[in-house]
Amino acid sequence: MKKILVCKENDVLETRVALIPDDIKKLLAMGFSFSVVSGAGERSGFSDQAYIDAGAKIVTAEEDAYEDSEIVVRIQKPESIKGMKKDTFHLSYLDPFNEKSLLNECASAGIQAVSLEMIPRTTLAQKMDVQSSQTSLAGYVAVLNAAAKLPKILPMMVTPAGTINPARVFIIGVGVAGLQAIATAKRLGARVDAFDTRPVVEEQVRSLGGNFVKIDLGEMGQTSQGYARELTPEQIAKQKEAQAKVCEKANIVITTAKVFGRKAPRLIEKNVLDRMMPGSVVVDMAVSTGGNVEGSEFGKDVVTENGVTIMSGDLLERQVPYDASKMLSGNISAFLQHFYNKESKEFEVRLDDEIMKGCLLTKGGRIIHERFKDN
């Protein structure tokens, strides 16, 4: 199993490509072969000629190449799997918690479907972790977008005309996106406050030059995957009030609490927005999963009655598609290399491997993953 098809994304908003020419060249040297749908890398800066020069074959449409492909890679979940042959190994985001019908379809067709989101967040799988690589870029872009919208500069500036105080940035949620947002805001000269329900991240915030906002919520912790544990209603109420006091003084607030497989927690409500300064900017990085901020809308800016701008901050990595594709391609390449047997020169689906066990959802005509199969 080593004939790979790289698909072109059909979503008009998707700018990335799953594999870039440089990685294809490396994988070709190992024994893989590649077909790439024409135009697949165009929106991220990789031409068809670049793929040809790397050693790939260009095909007009993915359906035309299904019969001769053993592995299919793309970014977004497939609109259709019609035409894919049995036992095809398919890698993409699958949104498995909300796409049970797609999983059933893959199972019925005999497709071996991997969900990129489900790759375990372990040390061994770190180089395959698409969630971390992409949200890191999104955290960077969130700060730039907010800074461009803010009617004030971020750094302190001392001039003959007077002193300009630095902008105050408040980051809620110190995961990968939050840490990158802190680092970016500090580099731009802002004063940065940050909060997370996991006290263990305080040291990371301080190491980046940020101030960790301490809110006593009682017993807290994180999941085995590194995500914050769900709060009780009492803890949520306490967190919201303490956050509101920081938001009142902030010029930029960025919320990053996007919880995989669940609706995003509501962190900032209208009464908090009403207390913020006119001209302030709030970036909601969880808007596509219900939103952390009341009134946020996917794909558009919303201005409140008192002049606070709520920006849609989901999938911001699409704004830097060249580097986003490079990182995503590196993640997928690492996955393919991990399961490549150098002796037989074949890609192997090893179910005894913890990484494969964590992300392979369908095989042998059924849903095999414990979290999604019918009991």
Side-chain angles (χ1 to χ4, degrees), residues 76-93:
Q76 297 302 318
K77 55 195 173 189
E79 293 180 358
S80 170
I81 60 171
K82 186 178 180 180
M84 282 189 210
K85 61 186 181 182
K86 183 181 178 182
D87 291 328
T88 294
F89 191 83
H90 184 279
L91 292 95
S92 74
Y93 285 95

Side-chain angles (χ1 to χ4, degrees), residues 17-29:
V17 65
L19 283 170
I20 66 171
D22 281 350
D23 286 327
I24 283 179
K25 188 181 295 185
K26 295 174 186 175
L27 291 166
L28 275 164

Side-chain angles (χ1 to χ4, degrees), residues 22 83 102 147 153 157 164 206 217 243 293 303 308 338 374:
D22 281 350
L102 176 59
I153 64 171
M157 192 174 289
I164 299 173
R206 295 191 182 282
L217 298 176
Q243 285 175 176
V293 183
V303 180
V308 175
H338 181 78
D374 294 324

Side-chain angles (χ1 to χ4, degrees), residues 100 103-104 107 361-363 365-369 372-374:
K100 189 61 181 289
L103 298 189
N104 286 326
L361 308 189
T362 64
K363 181 177 174 61
R366 60 192 182 92
I367 297 174
I368 64 170
H369 197 283
F372 305 105
K373 69 181 182 181
D374 294 324

